[in-house]
Amino acid sequence: MIKVGIVGGTGYTGVELLRLLAQHPQAEVVVITSRSEDGVRVCDMFPNLRGHYDGLAFSVPDVATLGACDVVFFATPHGVAHALAGELLSAGTRVIDLSADFRLKDAEEWAKWYGQPHGAPELLPEAVYGLPEVNREQIRQARLIAVPGCYPTATQLGLLPLLEQGLVDADRLIADCKSGVSGAGRAAKVASLFTEAGESMMAYSVKGHRHLPEIRQGLRQAAGRDVGLTFVPHLTPMIRGIHATLYATLVDTSVDLQAVFEQRYASEPFVDVMPAGSHPETRSVRGANVCRIAVHRPQGGELAVVLSVIDNLVKGASGQAIQNMNILFGLDETLGLNAAALLP
Amino acid sequence: MIKVGIVGGTGYTGVELLRLLAQHPQAEVVVITSRSEDGVRVCDMFPNLRGHYDGLAFSVPDVATLGACDVVFFATPHGVAHALAGELLSAGTRVIDLSADFRLKDAEEWAKWYGQPHGAPELLPEAVYGLPEVNREQIRQARLIAVPGCYPTATQLGLLPLLEQGLVDADRLIADCKSGVSGAGRAAKVASLFTEAGESMMAYSVKGHRHLPEIRQGLRQAAGRDVGLTFVPHLTPMIRGIHATLYATLVDTSVDLQAVFEQRYASEPFVDVMPAGSHPETRSVRGANVCRIAVHRPQGGELAVVLSVIDNLVKGASGQAIQNMNILFGLDETLGLNAAALLP
Amino acid sequence: MIKVGIVGGTGYTGVELLRLLAQHPQAEVVVITSRSEDGVRVCDMFPNLRGHYDGLAFSVPDVATLGACDVVFFATPHGVAHALAGELLSAGTRVIDLSADFRLKDAEEWAKWYGQPHGAPELLPEAVYGLPEVNREQIRQARLIAVPGCYPTATQLGLLPLLEQGLVDADRLIADCKSGVSGAGRAAKVASLFTEAGESMMAYSVKGHRHLPEIRQGLRQAAGRDVGLTFVPHLTPMIRGIHATLYATLVDTSVDLQAVFEQRYASEPFVDVMPAGSHPETRSVRGANVCRIAVHRPQGGELAVVLSVIDNLVKGASGQAIQNMNILFGLDETLGLNAAALLP
Amino acid sequence: MIKVGIVGGTGYTGVELLRLLAQHPQAEVVVITSRSEDGVRVCDMFPNLRGHYDGLAFSVPDVATLGACDVVFFATPHGVAHALAGELLSAGTRVIDLSADFRLKDAEEWAKWYGQPHGAPELLPEAVYGLPEVNREQIRQARLIAVPGCYPTATQLGLLPLLEQGLVDADRLIADCKSGVSGAGRAAKVASLFTEAGESMMAYSVKGHRHLPEIRQGLRQAAGRDVGLTFVPHLTPMIRGIHATLYATLVDTSVDLQAVFEQRYASEPFVDVMPAGSHPETRSVRGANVCRIAVHRPQGGELAVVLSVIDNLVKGASGQAIQNMNILFGLDETLGLNAAALLP
């Protein structure tokens, strides 16, 4: 049984970790921390967990207790994992960080986008970017894993097959992404109110969103060269889900795109290449650790249009984190992650 | 391994049976029927099932094939189970009917509410009303089970403790119930369009809803006398969930209502009596086979107000059907039904 | 042209006053205050108003400026109007208060429910409760009007015809009310997030909600005696709308309920008694200053069930406030309030 | 007073015409037709209209009655206006067609996209495409007006300033569009159910949508040359609204895009160019005849990103139809169309 700790369990990625781990046969949550909710039972805060974690309460983070875990998940705002990861690693605990703290390889770029110095640049060389479809072997050996962001997961999985094989013009990529409101977290913000975000659609952060450098870093690695990417995120009136609509100009229109995608993901348990002509719906992955992808070439033109959907809280966060844990501990990669999506 | 057949699998209770049974370690769906979708793979109709039932396709209902199953679920409109149940029982197959066909004990009353003669009155004596919290022992021995309706489940579980002990005036019961739109099924109806049912609340069928006689029958049995019930259902702009707000006049206001409920359901795996003062949310049971209940006595008056929530497609239909199957086949009652609700 | 001031214009009743007054031919908003948004243009905060109030910006509240208005609306949390109303009245300005400050006649009861002493008890004797369907004549003469709350408007309009004529048992009234999330205001609260309030239904404040004493006061006046009322509010996943489902026991079941309601509201411009058998939808009043009502007697029993719907921000707040202004200034009561509801 | 007839008034563009015309001081609806609802009062079908059209009932379409109107709106599926427009024009009635029947200038292309021969090619030469921001002068003289589709309105208004001045590469245009569900009409379709379209996002018709040739025709005219356009529509879980996110490659990045847009629309009453850096929300135009536009150049790159929002039922259909009527009859173009959007 893997002893699991969770730092910062009061947000949506925290409760989603708990929901998913409740079904995991080889993992047990032994500690969950929150400074603000110290002493509160998790099932009093999240009533969906009643009957599952009746004995578990939030506690103030404490390195000794966390360091006694086999693995600690950080479900925190950026900056928190910087401060604690090093000590936990020294204690022999593996760290799986759902925040942005170790996603960017370049500490300077991190500082630029997050508006503060990087708090643990010495750990960057060993941090592994936890996208199993790219880095599965490194994950197996890792001590510190940076779980990809939600937009980056949907976007990279949709574009990798094209870039890895040099099939598209890497200078002119567009990612038009639509996210459910849970992507904004559980913080009390006017813009996330039901009355503000409901029955409306809007773009945001068109100037530059923090996921842009992360996506670019992953695409650059896949392409083996620098890439040009325009990324426009949109807030969509639904709770969960990301729909990435990706545009890339083909360098050779004779390629069989469907075959390219099917071959790339043939042995991936959590990437589903749908039949040609499909339009994946975000609800088809609600609650499930799956990315569904369809690829089109409208009007037989030179533009490839890739549709890529995930649940931002599962394959875009907590599910992917558990997938990383499974790989890290030599378990079946799909353990505890097999539930079908909730539809309707 | 229990061999399962499903008749009429293209509606929401059908896809929900499939979703839940995909997690069940002791059951396997071997046949699923639909006249209109003959030959279509279930995962082509319901993309959330891709990767779970890739070999399963709808077929035209056929008694021989169905009769080779250990149990057949009917996820059909009323009338269909009337026509087929008898033959299947003769073949030795157990029948769990999610439709209304065998819920009412009185064939005349059934005919009145459903506007057609009862098609199999000879089976009524042996049909067991599948509310485990009341009829667990009979379910164990049953060949034919009538799964309760969604409103009846939420309402009965909320009122039973009060009526069984004669704590309230049985002549003046009120059930003000709010249902998500999935209760109306997957049929193409203008009233169920996103544009019609969204961003609006309305009562319907105030004159008389088909679940009224079913609820009355259950409450009568609990009270040991006839009851007076006013039942007002409302259509609520959410996909899943029923919230029953129940009003009953106490005959003795000194009773400890919280204790009454806690004792009644102490050993029930799927009824959660919440702490005094709670307000259960329907999302706390989304996708889960649980009924959460809170009981109040506002202003210390003579009126008990019970709040009872379920997911209409799970504890109100397919989950409860599987719970019945588990009891029927001597399995752990909670097998395959332990997933936590999806929140947010 | 009536010169209008608005105190506290950054909430939903504030922006709704602006939206409605933009169509009013005899009123002009000359000042709108907000301490936090001093200097911000209203159309920068509420982009739906672009092109309508391009020159209007929030300013810090100032008695001299407000006192130069013909009428000042308070769209503020409770307590604010207490502090300012007296001075404005002294300056000869009429005050229409959308908050709860002057709704209850009893300062002690106000203090009990709002947890602070009443700040202006000396003004209570002259404050008029602004429900035109009851107090139209007093409104005409008033200097200080307390606009009814949203639940109280829907509930009183639904029960008044029954109580005024003594047709029901006034000791056993039940109001099961469902409100859209805008009723909770524009404050940043976790419970009002899209991700928390969406796709879910829950009751709240069952122990006692601040609108309870207000409703009871109005019903008592109509009945000419004390009343017993159980009031259970519910949070519904929609932006606007209140659906009140009201239960009252008839003392004489031979009465023609439909006629009672039609006669009571025959000359009311903003109360629509629907045909017998109707089920009003909240969307049928979205954005409109109308209360639609239907009355039922299910199963021919002794219980009258009244369905009453309003838009909480219009007939439940800002629209009703303008209706009061029209009466107060001797205008056609419907001026600026004639737009049809937005459907779908 | 302009005498107005409406053919096919039971869909959403029909009820929206009625809602808007109820506020129009110079127009009166004298006839509204529907074969299926003959004799039904419009306010019985659309309860938001109660009190506005109490004497108006649907009737079977009849050329004599319609021909006595000054103007007839077609709010019908494609093909209907083909059959009737000619006769009405002969009777001296102006025709404003909200369907697709006269939008494409090329009858062959129409036949290809709509799967049937064009029914009135002889009328195409005189049909005017009713986008006032482009064709105001021709509209003034027109007898037959084709009201633009919803996607084409949002997309053309967003791209015209760039194409008219040759500022972008016309071969590489992308329109990633998101529509509310009302765009699919009021027909009973499974895909439009609350339970199917709710809480989900999906692309559709990526292969080719019927609005593609219409948009291309308009852009071609603006550019003065053929254009290359990829158009990907998405179904969004909201009732009303279109958000068009438009991508175009600048030929000269030194141009002041904000100035280009502000100048182009300086005198347009219904196009609102928002301040630089804005992100228009669809709710800011809900119920209003406005297109709000913002233009960005992310990362200072060569790609212009235009955000363009409309209410698909107003500026995308019925509001624009009335705007055309106002122009046609020499009225103030904004008459009856001045209401602010409903927010929240």
Side-chain angles (χ1 to χ4, degrees):
Chain A
M1 212 63 164
I2 302 167
K3 283 196 277 184
V4 172
I6 298 174
V7 178
T10 62
Y12 290 140
T13 55
V15 61
E16 190 70 353
L17 278 172
L18 291 170
R19 183 183 74 85
L20 292 166
L21 288 171
Q23 306 309 116
H24 197 289
Q26 300 284 338
E28 183 189 13
V29 180
V30 295
V31 57
I32 184 164
T33 76
S34 162
R35 293 191 183 278
S36 61
E37 305 294 333
D38 182 31
V40 174
R41 295 196 311 162
V42 296
C43 65
D44 287 343
M45 178 160 235
F46 298 117
N48 63 319
L49 300 177
R50 286 174 62 85
H52 291 277
Y53 291 97
D54 289 354
L56 187 69
F58 295 107
S59 58
V60 171
D62 165 70
V63 173
T65 315
L66 290 168
C69 296
D70 298 307
V71 62
V72 167
F73 292 96
F74 282 83
T76 46
H78 63 268
V80 178
H82 282 171
L84 285 173
E87 283 187 273
L88 294 177
L89 294 177
S90 300
T93 298
R94 309 281 180 88
V95 170
I96 299 179
D97 178 22
L98 284 78
S99 86
D101 279 8
F102 298 101
R103 291 180 193 157
L104 298 186
K105 284 299 171 191
D106 181 336
E108 293 303 308
E109 190 160 26
W110 194 94
K112 191 184 95 185
W113 285 91
Y114 290 88
Q116 62 189 76
H118 195 286
E122 72 283 3
L123 296 177
L124 283 176
E126 73 160 304
V128 173
Y129 189 69
L131 192 62
E133 292 77 8
V134 174
N135 294 328
R136 186 170 282 113
E137 289 315 309
Q138 295 96 306
I139 293 167
R140 253 188 252 289
Q141 318 297 332
R143 297 198 310 158
L144 169 58
I145 292 172
V147 181
C150 49
Y151 287 125
T153 297
T155 302
Q156 290 177 78
L157 292 177
L159 288 175
L160 288 179
L162 299 173
L163 289 168
E164 288 170 350
Q165 300 195 26
L167 302 175
V168 294
D169 179 351
D171 287 328
R172 299 169 165 276
L173 304 169
I174 295 175
D176 187 293
C177 295
K178 299 88 177 168
S179 173
V181 184
S182 62
R186 198 166 159 270
K189 288 181 288 192
V190 169
S192 301
L193 294 176
F194 187 91
T195 42
E196 299 283 315
E199 284 291 310
S200 193
M201 159 66 76
M202 68 182 296
Y204 67 101
S205 297
V206 177
K207 257 185 219 177
H209 183 285
R210 285 169 172 172
H211 284 176
L212 175 61
E214 179 185 345
I215 301 173
R216 240 175 359 205
Q217 170 181 281
L219 298 184
R220 192 185 309 132
Q221 184 187 329
R225 48 155 290 187
D226 210 354
V227 301
L229 171 71
T230 299
F231 167 49
V232 179
H234 298 75
L235 189 65
T236 306
M238 58 188 183
I239 295 174
R240 289 168 179 248
I242 283 186
H243 188 294
T245 313
L246 309 166
Y247 301 89
T249 308
L250 292 163
V251 294
D252 171 6
T253 57
S254 70
V255 66
D256 179 346
L257 290 174
Q258 184 70 21
V260 167
F261 276 77
E262 289 182 358
Q263 286 158 18
R264 174 60 176 85
Y265 294 123
S267 58
E268 286 299 337
F270 294 123
V271 181
D272 174 26
V273 178
M274 299 186 72
S278 295
H279 299 99
E281 310 167 74
T282 61
R283 66 181 188 139
S284 77
V285 297
R286 179 165 45 214
N289 193 52
V290 181
C291 176
R292 296 197 205 278
I293 296 181
V295 57
H296 292 253
R297 194 153 68 83
Q299 314 293 309
E302 63 171 1
L303 212 58
V305 177
V306 184
L307 313 173
S308 167
V309 302
I310 59 170
D311 183 323
N312 54 306
L313 296 178
V314 191
K315 185 61 178 166
S318 305
Q320 187 145 268
I322 294 169
Q323 185 181 354
N324 274 281
M325 179 190 79
N326 286 342
I327 297 170
L328 199 56
F329 287 86
L331 305 174
D332 176 347
E333 191 168 330
T334 69
L335 212 62
L337 295 173
N338 269 320
L342 193 75
L343 178 157
Chain B
M1 211 65 163
I2 301 167
K3 282 195 279 184
V4 172
I6 299 175
V7 178
T10 62
Y12 290 139
T13 55
V15 63
E16 189 70 354
L17 279 170
L18 290 170
R19 182 182 74 86
L20 292 166
L21 288 169
Q23 307 308 117
H24 197 290
Q26 299 284 337
E28 183 188 15
V29 179
V30 295
V31 57
I32 184 163
T33 77
S34 161
R35 292 189 183 280
S36 61
E37 305 294 332
D38 182 30
V40 174
R41 295 197 311 162
V42 297
C43 64
D44 287 344
M45 178 161 234
F46 298 116
N48 62 319
L49 300 177
R50 286 174 61 86
H52 292 277
Y53 291 97
D54 290 352
L56 187 69
F58 295 106
S59 58
V60 170
D62 165 70
V63 173
T65 315
L66 291 167
C69 296
D70 298 307
V71 62
V72 167
F73 292 96
F74 281 83
T76 45
H78 64 267
V80 177
H82 282 171
L84 285 172
E87 281 187 274
L88 294 176
L89 293 177
S90 301
T93 298
R94 308 283 179 86
V95 170
I96 299 180
D97 178 22
L98 284 79
S99 86
D101 279 8
F102 298 102
R103 292 180 192 157
L104 299 185
K105 284 300 173 192
D106 181 336
E108 293 302 309
E109 191 161 24
W110 194 95
K112 191 184 95 185
W113 285 90
Y114 290 87
Q116 62 190 77
H118 195 284
E122 70 284 2
L123 296 176
L124 283 176
E126 72 160 302
V128 172
Y129 188 70
L131 193 62
E133 292 76 8
V134 174
N135 294 328
R136 186 169 281 113
E137 288 315 309
Q138 295 95 306
I139 292 166
R140 255 187 251 289
Q141 319 296 330
R143 297 199 311 159
L144 170 58
I145 291 171
V147 180
C150 48
Y151 287 125
T153 297
T155 303
Q156 290 176 78
L157 291 176
L159 288 174
L160 288 178
L162 299 174
L163 288 169
E164 288 171 351
Q165 299 195 28
L167 302 176
V168 294
D169 180 350
D171 286 329
R172 299 168 166 278
L173 303 169
I174 294 175
D176 187 293
C177 295
K178 300 87 176 167
S179 174
V181 184
S182 63
R186 199 168 158 270
K189 288 182 287 193
V190 169
S192 302
L193 293 176
F194 186 91
T195 42
E196 299 283 315
E199 282 293 309
S200 194
M201 160 65 77
M202 67 181 297
Y204 65 100
S205 297
V206 178
K207 255 183 218 179
H209 182 284
R210 284 166 172 174
H211 284 175
L212 175 61
E214 179 186 343
I215 301 172
R216 240 177 358 210
Q217 171 182 281
L219 299 184
R220 192 187 306 131
Q221 185 189 327
R225 48 154 292 187
D226 211 353
V227 301
L229 171 70
T230 299
F231 168 49
V232 179
H234 298 74
L235 190 64
T236 307
M238 59 189 182
I239 295 175
R240 289 169 179 248
I242 283 185
H243 188 294
T245 312
L246 309 166
Y247 301 89
T249 308
L250 292 163
V251 293
D252 171 6
T253 57
S254 70
V255 66
D256 179 346
L257 289 173
Q258 184 70 21
V260 166
F261 275 77
E262 288 182 359
Q263 286 158 21
R264 174 59 177 86
Y265 292 124
S267 58
E268 285 299 338
F270 294 123
V271 182
D272 173 27
V273 178
M274 297 186 72
S278 296
H279 299 101
E281 308 167 74
T282 61
R283 66 181 188 139
S284 77
V285 297
R286 179 164 46 214
N289 194 52
V290 180
C291 177
R292 297 199 205 276
I293 295 180
V295 58
H296 291 254
R297 194 154 69 82
Q299 315 292 309
E302 64 171 359
L303 211 59
V305 177
V306 184
L307 313 174
S308 167
V309 302
I310 59 169
D311 183 324
N312 54 305
L313 296 179
V314 191
K315 184 63 179 167
S318 305
Q320 186 145 266
I322 293 169
Q323 186 182 355
N324 273 279
M325 180 190 79
N326 285 343
I327 298 170
L328 198 56
F329 287 87
L331 305 173
D332 175 348
E333 192 169 330
T334 68
L335 214 58
L337 296 173
N338 269 322
L342 193 74
L343 179 155
Chain C
M1 211 65 163
I2 302 167
K3 282 196 278 183
V4 172
I6 298 175
V7 178
T10 63
Y12 290 140
T13 55
V15 61
E16 190 70 354
L17 278 171
L18 290 170
R19 183 183 73 87
L20 292 166
L21 289 170
Q23 307 308 117
H24 197 290
Q26 299 283 339
E28 184 188 14
V29 180
V30 294
V31 57
I32 184 163
T33 78
S34 162
R35 292 189 183 280
S36 61
E37 305 294 331
D38 182 30
V40 174
R41 294 196 312 161
V42 296
C43 64
D44 287 343
M45 177 160 235
F46 297 118
N48 63 318
L49 301 177
R50 286 174 62 85
H52 292 278
Y53 291 97
D54 289 352
L56 188 68
F58 295 106
S59 57
V60 171
D62 165 70
V63 174
T65 315
L66 291 167
C69 295
D70 298 308
V71 61
V72 167
F73 292 96
F74 282 83
T76 46
H78 64 267
V80 178
H82 282 172
L84 285 173
E87 283 187 274
L88 294 177
L89 294 177
S90 300
T93 298
R94 308 283 181 88
V95 170
I96 300 180
D97 178 21
L98 284 79
S99 86
D101 279 7
F102 298 102
R103 291 180 192 158
L104 298 186
K105 284 298 171 193
D106 182 335
E108 294 302 309
E109 191 159 26
W110 194 95
K112 190 183 95 185
W113 285 91
Y114 290 87
Q116 62 190 76
H118 195 285
E122 71 282 3
L123 296 177
L124 283 176
E126 72 160 302
V128 173
Y129 188 69
L131 193 62
E133 292 77 8
V134 173
N135 294 328
R136 187 171 281 112
E137 289 315 309
Q138 295 96 305
I139 293 167
R140 254 188 251 289
Q141 320 296 331
R143 297 198 310 159
L144 170 58
I145 291 173
V147 180
C150 50
Y151 287 126
T153 297
T155 303
Q156 290 176 78
L157 291 177
L159 288 175
L160 288 179
L162 299 173
L163 289 169
E164 288 171 350
Q165 299 195 27
L167 301 176
V168 294
D169 179 351
D171 288 329
R172 299 168 166 278
L173 303 170
I174 294 175
D176 187 293
C177 295
K178 298 89 177 168
S179 173
V181 183
S182 62
R186 198 166 159 272
K189 288 182 288 192
V190 169
S192 302
L193 293 177
F194 186 91
T195 42
E196 298 283 315
E199 283 292 309
S200 193
M201 159 66 77
M202 67 181 296
Y204 66 101
S205 297
V206 177
K207 256 184 216 176
H209 183 285
R210 286 169 171 172
H211 283 175
L212 175 61
E214 179 185 343
I215 301 173
R216 239 175 0 208
Q217 171 182 281
L219 298 184
R220 192 186 309 130
Q221 184 188 329
R225 47 154 292 189
D226 210 354
V227 301
L229 171 71
T230 299
F231 167 50
V232 179
H234 297 75
L235 188 64
T236 307
M238 58 189 182
I239 296 175
R240 289 168 178 249
I242 283 185
H243 188 293
T245 312
L246 309 166
Y247 301 90
T249 308
L250 292 163
V251 295
D252 171 6
T253 58
S254 69
V255 66
D256 180 346
L257 289 173
Q258 183 70 19
V260 166
F261 275 77
E262 289 182 359
Q263 285 158 21
R264 174 60 177 85
Y265 294 123
S267 57
E268 285 300 338
F270 293 123
V271 182
D272 174 26
V273 178
M274 298 187 73
S278 295
H279 299 100
E281 308 166 74
T282 61
R283 66 180 187 140
S284 77
V285 297
R286 179 164 46 214
N289 192 52
V290 181
C291 176
R292 297 199 203 277
I293 295 180
V295 57
H296 292 253
R297 194 153 68 82
Q299 314 294 307
E302 63 171 2
L303 212 58
V305 177
V306 184
L307 313 174
S308 168
V309 302
I310 59 169
D311 183 324
N312 53 305
L313 296 178
V314 191
K315 184 62 177 165
S318 305
Q320 187 145 267
I322 294 169
Q323 186 182 353
N324 273 280
M325 179 191 78
N326 286 342
I327 297 170
L328 198 57
F329 287 86
L331 305 174
D332 175 349
E333 191 168 330
T334 68
L335 213 60
L337 295 172
N338 269 320
L342 193 75
L343 178 159
Chain D
M1 212 63 163
I2 301 167
K3 283 196 278 185
V4 172
I6 298 174
V7 178
T10 62
Y12 291 139
T13 55
V15 61
E16 190 69 353
L17 279 171
L18 291 170
R19 182 182 75 84
L20 292 167
L21 288 170
Q23 307 307 118
H24 198 289
Q26 300 284 337
E28 184 188 15
V29 180
V30 296
V31 57
I32 184 164
T33 76
S34 162
R35 293 189 183 280
S36 61
E37 305 294 332
D38 182 29
V40 173
R41 295 196 311 162
V42 296
C43 64
D44 288 344
M45 178 160 235
F46 298 117
N48 63 319
L49 300 178
R50 287 176 61 87
H52 292 277
Y53 291 98
D54 290 352
L56 187 69
F58 294 106
S59 59
V60 171
D62 165 70
V63 173
T65 315
L66 290 168
C69 296
D70 297 308
V71 62
V72 167
F73 292 96
F74 282 84
T76 46
H78 63 267
V80 179
H82 282 172
L84 285 172
E87 281 187 273
L88 294 176
L89 294 177
S90 301
T93 298
R94 308 281 181 89
V95 170
I96 299 178
D97 178 22
L98 284 79
S99 86
D101 279 9
F102 298 102
R103 290 180 193 158
L104 298 185
K105 284 299 172 192
D106 181 335
E108 293 302 309
E109 191 160 26
W110 194 95
K112 191 184 95 186
W113 284 92
Y114 291 87
Q116 62 190 76
H118 195 285
E122 70 284 2
L123 296 176
L124 283 177
E126 72 160 302
V128 172
Y129 188 69
L131 193 62
E133 291 77 9
V134 174
N135 294 327
R136 187 170 280 113
E137 289 315 307
Q138 296 95 305
I139 292 167
R140 255 188 250 288
Q141 319 297 331
R143 296 198 310 159
L144 170 59
I145 291 171
V147 180
C150 48
Y151 287 125
T153 297
T155 302
Q156 290 176 78
L157 291 176
L159 288 175
L160 288 179
L162 299 174
L163 289 168
E164 288 171 350
Q165 300 195 27
L167 302 176
V168 294
D169 180 350
D171 287 328
R172 298 168 167 277
L173 304 169
I174 294 175
D176 187 292
C177 295
K178 299 87 176 168
S179 173
V181 185
S182 63
R186 197 166 160 270
K189 288 181 286 192
V190 169
S192 302
L193 294 176
F194 186 90
T195 42
E196 299 282 315
E199 283 293 310
S200 194
M201 160 66 76
M202 68 181 296
Y204 66 101
S205 297
V206 178
K207 254 184 220 178
H209 183 285
R210 285 166 171 174
H211 284 175
L212 175 61
E214 180 185 344
I215 301 172
R216 242 177 355 208
Q217 170 182 280
L219 298 184
R220 193 186 307 133
Q221 185 189 326
R225 48 154 291 186
D226 210 354
V227 301
L229 171 70
T230 298
F231 168 49
V232 179
H234 298 75
L235 190 64
T236 307
M238 59 189 182
I239 295 175
R240 290 169 179 248
I242 283 185
H243 188 294
T245 312
L246 309 167
Y247 302 90
T249 308
L250 293 163
V251 294
D252 172 5
T253 57
S254 69
V255 66
D256 179 346
L257 289 174
Q258 184 71 20
V260 167
F261 276 77
E262 288 182 0
Q263 285 158 20
R264 174 60 178 85
Y265 294 124
S267 58
E268 285 299 338
F270 294 124
V271 181
D272 174 26
V273 178
M274 299 186 72
S278 296
H279 299 101
E281 308 167 75
T282 61
R283 66 181 189 138
S284 77
V285 298
R286 180 164 46 214
N289 193 53
V290 181
C291 176
R292 297 198 205 278
I293 295 180
V295 59
H296 293 252
R297 193 154 68 83
Q299 315 293 308
E302 63 171 359
L303 211 58
V305 177
V306 184
L307 313 173
S308 167
V309 302
I310 60 169
D311 182 324
N312 54 305
L313 296 178
V314 191
K315 184 61 178 168
S318 305
Q320 186 145 267
I322 294 168
Q323 185 182 354
N324 274 281
M325 179 190 79
N326 286 343
I327 298 170
L328 198 56
F329 286 87
L331 305 174
D332 176 347
E333 193 169 327
T334 68
L335 213 61
L337 295 173
N338 270 321
L342 193 75
L343 179 157

